[in-house]
Structure formats: structure tokens, C-alpha cells
Amino acid sequence: MPSIPQPLVPGDDGSADAALTAALAAHAAGTADATAVLTALGEARLLVPVVALLTSSEVGPNGLKQEKESEMALPKLVGQDGREAVLAFTGAEALARWRPDARPIQATALQVCQAAAHEGAAAVVIDVAGPRPFVIEGTMLEVMAAVESGTVDQLDSVTVARVTEAPPKPEAPPKPEGRRWFGRLRRSGS
């Protein structure tokens, strides 16, 4: 049975990191490149959403339908082109803007990128519902995932040098055509 991870930041109030918020604003205004955002991401805590999915129900003694069993899932976006993206948010406000009933799990940008690579996702979309979405994809996603997994030495040194010198400008976030779910954890209801 999976265990619940310990928080990265005990006592976290859900606020977005000020340096990350400033970097995202500067990037959106065109006064900073993606490097500034990636640098700020290295120091910030992100929130990954988890939502409950009803897997079975029953009719209770009062005649009403009630939860019997549900699963917790981490949602992915599927773009019009079929590419999948893992979601992350800078803070509780940005998460609630996307989906108010989602529960936050603290993670680093490197952990989110590693999870996306593990799931075969093409991108990580930060703050998909705003105020300033940012996408990590392609070689940058691959490098960040490799750094977290400790396999960065397996990457081509030219690739690593190219990414660290001039990260590519992120594309627009994939459009949320539909949702797919992964990372399900079973939870029994009463």
C-alpha cells in the first residue's frame, strides 16, 4: 500500500513562491526568458493536484446512493494533438482556479518532471488556468527528469550543454480536450 509523502514544507499555507511569481510575470511580459522561470522553479515548492474518482457505489439503508470505493488520481491533460501533460501549480489559489475540489501534494519541479517522464507525458504545465501558464517540455523536461532520477550522466553531454545554456522558449500549454488519469491509489469508503 502506498504511503502518504511527508510535506516538503511543514506548515505550508499554500501561497505561491514570490520569486517564482515574479519570474512568471516577467516571462509573460516578455522582460525575462525561460531561464529566469526555470531558476525560480529550482527553489520553489509546487502543488500537484490529486482528485477522487468514484469506482463503485451502493445504495445505503436510507435509499440514497453512497460511495463504496474510490481511487485518488493525479490528472493529466490531453491536448488536441494527443500529447499528454502533467499539471502542477504555484500555489493553492492557482490550483483552485483550475479545480477547487483538487487536493494539493507538495513537490519540487524536478520531482514533477520525473513523474511526467515516467508517465510518458510530453510536458509539465504549470498554472494551466492562469494567471501565467508555463510549459516545460522537450529536452528541458528530459534533462530535469534525469537530474531528479540521478541519471543525468546517461544523457548526451551536448544535449545537457545546449539546454543549460539556452533553454527553449516554452510553447503554449496543451488545450484540455479531455482528461486521463494515472497514479491511482485505492481508498475504501464506508
Side-chain angles (χ1 to χ4, degrees), residues 24 27-28 33-35 37-38 77 79-86 122-128 132-141 167-175:
L24 287 167
H27 182 264
D33 63 10
T35 306
V37 177
L38 294 170
L77 294 180
Q80 289 179 333
D81 61 0
R83 295 185 318 145
E84 296 178 336
V86 171
V124 170
V125 180
I126 298 171
D127 290 350
V128 68
R132 294 168 196 90
F134 185 81
V135 179
I136 303 169
E137 62 186 335
T139 307
M140 181 52 67
L141 176 63
K169 184 174 180 176
E171 296 176 15
K175 296 196 189 301

Side-chain angles (χ1 to χ4, degrees), residues 7-9 12-17 20 41 44-50 74-75 86-96 98 102-109 111-112 124-128:
L8 296 171
V9 184
D12 186 358
D13 67 358
S15 298
D17 180 82
L20 178 55
L41 278 168
R45 171 275 299 132
L46 295 174
L47 299 177
V48 177
V50 178
L74 300 170
V86 171
L87 301 172
F89 297 88
T90 54
E93 184 178 317
L95 174 61
W98 172 70
R103 301 288 180 150
I105 294 179
Q106 296 177 356
T108 66
Q111 289 171 331
V112 176
V124 170
V125 180
I126 298 171
D127 290 350
V128 68

Side-chain angles (χ1 to χ4, degrees), residues 21-168:
T21 301
L24 287 167
H27 182 264
T31 59
D33 63 10
T35 306
V37 177
L38 294 170
T39 300
L41 278 168
E43 301 296 322
R45 171 275 299 132
L46 295 174
L47 299 177
V48 177
V50 178
V51 295
L53 296 174
L54 181 65
T55 56
S56 67
S57 61
E58 63 187 4
V59 176
N62 55 7
L64 299 175
K65 187 176 177 180
Q66 62 187 29
E67 174 185 338
K68 181 176 180 182
E69 193 173 277
S70 65
E71 295 177 342
M72 298 305 290
L74 300 170
K76 284 197 283 189
L77 294 180
V78 179
Q80 289 179 333
D81 61 0
R83 295 185 318 145
E84 296 178 336
V86 171
L87 301 172
F89 297 88
T90 54
E93 184 178 317
L95 174 61
R97 185 178 303 203
W98 172 70
R99 187 164 171 179
D101 65 326
R103 301 288 180 150
I105 294 179
Q106 296 177 356
T108 66
L110 294 176
Q111 289 171 331
V112 176
C113 289
Q114 182 185 28
H118 176 74
E119 292 296 324
V124 170
V125 180
I126 298 171
D127 290 350
V128 68
R132 294 168 196 90
F134 185 81
V135 179
I136 303 169
E137 62 186 335
T139 307
M140 181 52 67
L141 176 63
E142 183 181 339
V143 169
M144 291 176 75
V147 168
E148 177 61 19
S149 67
T151 60
V152 76
D153 60 324
Q154 296 174 7
L155 291 175
D156 179 296
S157 60
V158 173
T159 301
V160 173
R162 185 180 76 225
V163 170
T164 55
E165 287 175 15

